[in-house]
Amino acid sequence: MSSPMAGVAFVNAIVFGVHGNMVKHIQNPDSLRSQMFCGAVAGFSQSIVTSPMELVKTRVQLQTEACVTTKSLSCAATSSSTVTNCSSYTSPVDCIRKIVTTEGWRGLFRGQLITVFRDVPGFSSYFLSYEYMSRSWASADGSVSPAVVLAAGGFAGAFSWLITYPIDMVKSRLQADGVGGVSKYRGIAHCLKTSVATEGAGVLFRGLNSSLIRAFPTNAATFAVVTWTIKTFQEQPEQDDTHQSWRDILANGDALVQAAAIPTPLQLSFTPESSWRSAVSFLPQVMAASAATEEEQEEEHQETRCRCWQRQGTAVLGRLPNLFGTVCKGPEAFTCWRARQEDVFAAARLHHNLSIVL
Ligand SMILES: NC(=[NH2+])NCCC[C@H](N)C(=O)O
């Protein structure tokens, strides 16, 4: 029970982490094609860990099933001799150890390729369909209600399983195969061919219903939790101070110095009377900000950068929540800060002109 739970959390952290970061850095992040591509990369990344995890799960579960069968048979036969095989894996770790000793390290990656074949289309269709549905069902102002998140998440999960289910069937068979060194299948194509030939095409979708029934609530919950987590991390008080940029410049000496170095002809012209009036109206804010201690200014500056970085993420799912918001350093904050230079420079020029006049 605890290993699947930890496993799901870990895998979802990879999926949404990779997808979110990809979306953040990709050109045109809002296009559905980008969502699909980022989903594919996320699917690929998580398949590296899910394949060995699913292998162990399959082996441990199959062993339990075999054990139950053996036990009831032996009970009927009033013999306990066959029960000895039951405890071949005492835990998932024990299973890993035994796979490595009997099949080598490569044994842990049995089914890796087919997992990639399943998860690349699986996760690209997952994110594509979620984005498509949540956008189609969004309200006029673009907001997405919790009901829409749940429904889109549920359908996205079910849809992704619907189209990848036959691949999943092959994956499960390949991973279950080869216990104790006996392999029934020679590879993906052979497994697919023999399964269809011996059991009919229906084998490709056997058990689909229960998978879909599982996928709907699981993925509705997943998207809801991810969306609400992102929201919680992104929720910042609205910046109602229209003169914030003044404090920004005051807290950033460098920008001021650079702005002051810009030759006068390039600076904003404030000759029209209205501009002067608005420039002078800034004065109380400038004075107040100048009065603040240097420490306060530095704090405020840091805060602005954090907020700026967080604002980069949008409500659209897939932007990583600023989990490290408290730290808020590093290249992202820097890139974001650079993007704001325009604003700061404009404000700095205004300040510069003002100071000449005063
Ligand atoms: N076919 C896929 N791999 N689809 C992606 C959905 C994954 C999701 N974590 C689930 O288990 O339902």
Side-chain angles (χ1 to χ4, degrees):
M1 181 68 193
S2 57
S3 5
M5 264 163 60
V8 169
F10 181 52
V11 169
N12 277 333
I14 299 177
V15 170
F16 287 93
V18 171
H19 179 266
N21 272 307
M22 288 280 304
V23 168
K24 217 153 107 187
H25 293 109
I26 203 169
Q27 263 185 356
N28 200 4
D30 291 334
S31 83
L32 289 177
R33 194 181 299 173
S34 304
Q35 290 293 330
M36 210 171 137
F37 176 68
C38 299
V41 177
F44 176 80
S45 317
Q46 62 87 56
S47 67
I48 296 163
V49 296
T50 43
S51 176
M53 277 165 64
E54 287 181 18
L55 174 76
V56 172
K57 182 172 159 261
T58 310
R59 295 282 171 93
V60 173
Q61 280 183 342
L62 285 181
Q63 154 204 267
T64 316
E65 273 164 27
C67 177
V68 170
T69 322
T70 320
K71 253 185 186 159
S72 51
L73 283 179
S74 63
C75 189
T78 57
S79 147
S80 61
S81 59
T82 41
V83 181
T84 33
N85 285 341
C86 275
S87 56
S88 61
Y89 304 131
T90 51
S91 66
V93 177
D94 181 49
C95 178
I96 296 175
R97 208 178 300 129
K98 282 183 177 143
I99 292 175
V100 173
T101 45
T102 58
E103 300 167 54
W105 280 104
R106 289 193 56 186
L108 275 183
F109 296 96
R110 175 185 276 268
Q112 182 72 61
L113 185 63
I114 185 86
T115 309
V116 172
F117 288 168
R118 180 197 66 181
D119 288 345
V120 169
F123 280 91
S124 49
S125 59
Y126 186 56
F127 283 104
L128 171 76
S129 53
Y130 176 80
E131 281 296 325
Y132 182 79
M133 286 183 275
S134 59
R135 286 179 202 185
S136 317
W137 299 334
S139 45
D141 65 351
S143 62
V144 179
S145 72
V148 168
V149 172
L150 287 167
F155 282 121
F159 175 68
S160 73
W161 279 112
L162 183 69
I163 61 171
T164 54
Y165 199 77
I167 314 175
D168 186 58
M169 183 280 294
V170 176
K171 190 227 68 152
S172 305
R173 290 188 170 209
L174 285 177
Q175 287 193 328
D177 193 30
V179 187
V182 192
S183 285
K184 194 165 140 197
Y185 304 117
R186 289 195 299 272
I188 298 173
H190 182 241
C191 174
L192 185 65
K193 242 189 267 164
T194 12
S195 303
V196 173
T198 56
E199 297 164 64
V203 72
L204 297 177
F205 290 100
R206 188 181 297 160
L208 175 66
N209 284 354
S210 42
S211 275
L212 298 186
I213 291 168
R214 181 209 70 92
F216 194 94
T218 314
N219 292 292
T222 305
F223 273 98
V225 170
V226 172
T227 308
W228 293 327
T229 311
I230 291 174
K231 260 203 184 142
T232 310
F233 278 98
Q234 278 181 343
E235 237 152 53
Q236 295 292 329
E238 268 307 300
Q239 191 178 314
D240 46 14
D241 184 356
T242 48
H243 306 308
Q244 181 63 35
S245 46
W246 278 107
R247 302 216 194 105
D248 286 352
I249 0 158
L250 289 168
N252 190 305
D254 288 357
L256 242 189
V257 173
Q258 287 176 52
I262 295 172
T264 317
L266 290 180
Q267 293 179 19
L268 294 180
S269 156
F270 293 101
T271 39
E273 211 203 299
S274 61
S275 296
W276 277 117
R277 229 185 285 123
S278 71
V280 173
S281 74
F282 280 129
L283 227 56
Q285 277 75 28
V286 177
M287 299 312 228
S290 312
T293 66
E294 254 180 42
E295 263 163 79
E296 275 169 355
Q297 286 175 7
E298 179 44 40
E299 243 178 64
E300 234 172 58
H301 174 52
Q302 178 71 13
E303 232 183 87
T304 313
R305 274 193 296 176
C306 290
R307 234 180 283 136
C308 175
W309 183 27
Q310 285 162 346
R311 243 186 283 125
Q312 293 250 304
T314 69
V316 179
L317 188 97
R319 311 298 164 91
L320 236 207
N322 185 2
L323 294 175
F324 310 105
T326 43
V327 180
C328 217
K329 283 187 184 122
E332 283 88 344
F334 181 62
T335 320
C336 181
W337 178 243
R338 286 277 304 275
R340 294 202 73 204
Q341 289 275 310
E342 281 282 298
D343 266 359
V344 172
F345 270 57
R349 281 197 290 273
L350 183 60
H351 180 248
H352 181 63
N353 283 342
L354 252 185
S355 60
I356 294 168
V357 176
L358 296 172

